[in-house]
Amino acid sequence: MLNYVDQIGVEHSFKTTPKRIISLVPSQTELLYDLGLEDEIVGITKFCVHPTHLKATKSIIGGTKHVKFDKIKALQPDIIIANKEENTKEIVEELSKICPVWVTNIVTIEDNFQMISDFGKLFNKRIEAQKWNDKITFAYNDFQNFLKDKPFRIVAYFIWANPFMVAGKDTFINEMLTMNRFQNIYLEKGRYPEIELEKMRQEGDPEIVFLSSEPFPFKDEHAFEIGRHSHHAKTLFVNGEMFSWYGSRLLKAFEYFKAIHQKL
């Protein structure tokens, strides 16, 4: 019997290595693929867009917040990969009646390394997982060297409009901001707080405002509206995947972040 504990402390037992995987998280689907598990993936969400061809070759089982339970059951999975933030507790509990649901919880880079190692053990891909962790570690150290002469900057990272919402503390987005020497003005307001633009100056007056490409499609008019409530903040439209996707995506994110710093 194979016994493993997931990132929310739940112990799972398997007679053999799980072979039929359903992923409820886009970034984790990408990681499974990069670990060489394409053939084992039987179901993904409609938001699992990397690599692109999977949407044509795998069963779509709904979204991250609304899944098709009957379709998932019919796929006869050995394991379902979920995430504490992306998927609701109710979904996890219901799906647990079908098969084990492995829940990840990624807030820090260390959590990300742990997830990759866990997948290596779970799916008998230890060598592949170690290679990915080694590559990410090398790129991370290189990025830290790149940053050593960069100044700290005060920022706000917007994820939604009308109402306006931002990324706060205890989020992977904030981990990425902190790693980049970006000081988040909304750290004390919760994880994804709704904020009042009129108070942005007095709450921190950011030098830089990031408008994420996901989950909300920000336009120029949003940038203008937000900008009116700052003191000449520089506004940048950024690829939300690079700030919020964990797993193997982190390797690409470091180069993307270097490009952002070169624009500032």
Side-chain angles (χ1 to χ4, degrees):
M1 191 68 74
L2 304 172
N3 299 304
Y4 304 110
V5 178
D6 69 18
Q7 287 182 298
I8 61 169
V10 176
E11 184 173 352
H12 302 276
S13 297
F14 305 91
K15 291 182 180 179
T16 60
T17 299
K19 293 296 183 185
R20 296 180 63 79
I21 308 167
I22 288 177
S23 173
L24 304 184
V25 185
S27 59
Q28 292 173 188
T29 299
E30 181 179 50
L31 172 59
L32 291 168
Y33 173 84
D34 285 336
L35 290 175
L37 291 160
E38 179 176 3
D39 291 343
E40 285 82 353
I41 300 170
V42 296
I44 61 176
T45 75
K46 62 183 178 181
F47 301 116
C48 294
V49 294
H50 299 297
T52 55
H53 71 272
L54 289 187
K55 292 189 77 171
T57 60
K58 306 298 178 182
S59 295
I60 307 299
I61 51 76
T64 55
K65 302 292 191 291
H66 302 282
V67 302
K68 299 176 181 178
F69 294 100
D70 290 343
K71 194 165 188 178
I72 290 174
K73 188 174 182 179
L75 288 170
Q76 299 181 306
D78 297 323
I79 189 170
I80 297 168
I81 305 295
N83 175 262
K84 184 179 178 181
E85 178 175 298
E86 290 289 334
N87 313 115
T88 66
K89 183 180 179 181
E90 292 74 22
I91 285 177
V92 170
E93 289 176 347
E94 190 65 25
L95 289 176
S96 295
K97 298 174 184 177
I98 298 173
C99 73
V101 180
W102 185 275
V103 181
T104 63
N105 184 24
I106 315 295
V107 177
T108 67
I109 292 176
E110 288 72 24
D111 294 335
N112 195 66
F113 286 130
Q114 182 64 55
M115 175 183 65
I116 295 173
S117 295
D118 287 345
F119 283 12
K121 296 172 187 175
L122 264 175
F123 304 116
N124 197 25
K125 293 287 185 179
R126 290 175 174 82
I127 293 175
E128 291 83 350
Q130 188 59 56
K131 285 180 178 178
W132 271 101
N133 275 341
D134 288 346
K135 286 190 288 187
I136 291 171
T137 297
F138 180 84
Y140 174 74
N141 290 335
D142 173 71
F143 185 61
Q144 292 300 304
N145 187 59
F146 168 83
L147 284 176
K148 64 183 181 182
D149 296 321
K150 298 290 186 293
F152 288 87
R153 298 176 186 272
I154 301 170
V155 307
Y157 187 100
F158 282 74
I159 62 167
W160 202 263
N162 304 316
F164 285 97
M165 297 175 68
V166 295
K169 66 179 179 179
D170 296 330
T171 63
F172 191 68
I173 292 173
N174 188 67
E175 176 83 347
M176 295 297 96
L177 294 174
T178 301
M179 183 184 70
N180 276 279
R181 298 191 175 189
F182 297 143
Q183 298 175 334
N184 187 351
I185 69 171
Y186 291 115
L187 274 186
E188 303 308 317
K189 285 185 168 290
R191 299 187 73 241
Y192 297 107
E194 181 178 328
I195 60 102
E196 298 177 50
L197 288 183
E198 295 78 8
K199 295 182 179 180
M200 188 164 65
R201 286 191 187 184
Q202 66 193 67
E203 290 179 334
D205 198 13
E207 302 169 58
I208 305 166
V209 169
F210 294 118
L211 301 183
S212 180
S213 62
E214 60 174 44
F216 183 86
F218 284 98
K219 302 285 193 304
D220 287 340
E221 55 263 33
H222 299 113
F224 177 75
E225 183 178 3
I226 294 170
R228 286 194 303 113
H229 296 284
S230 73
H231 190 260
H232 306 300
K234 185 169 187 174
T235 302
L236 292 179
F237 291 89
V238 294
N239 184 340
E241 292 177 359
M242 296 301 182
F243 282 89
S244 64
W245 282 38
Y246 28 82
S248 48
R249 174 54 59 107
L250 197 53
L251 189 63
K252 297 177 181 177
F254 293 122
E255 290 304 313
Y256 180 78
F257 295 149
K258 285 182 181 179
I260 286 180
H261 283 279
Q262 287 164 357
K263 292 179 183 178
L264 298 177

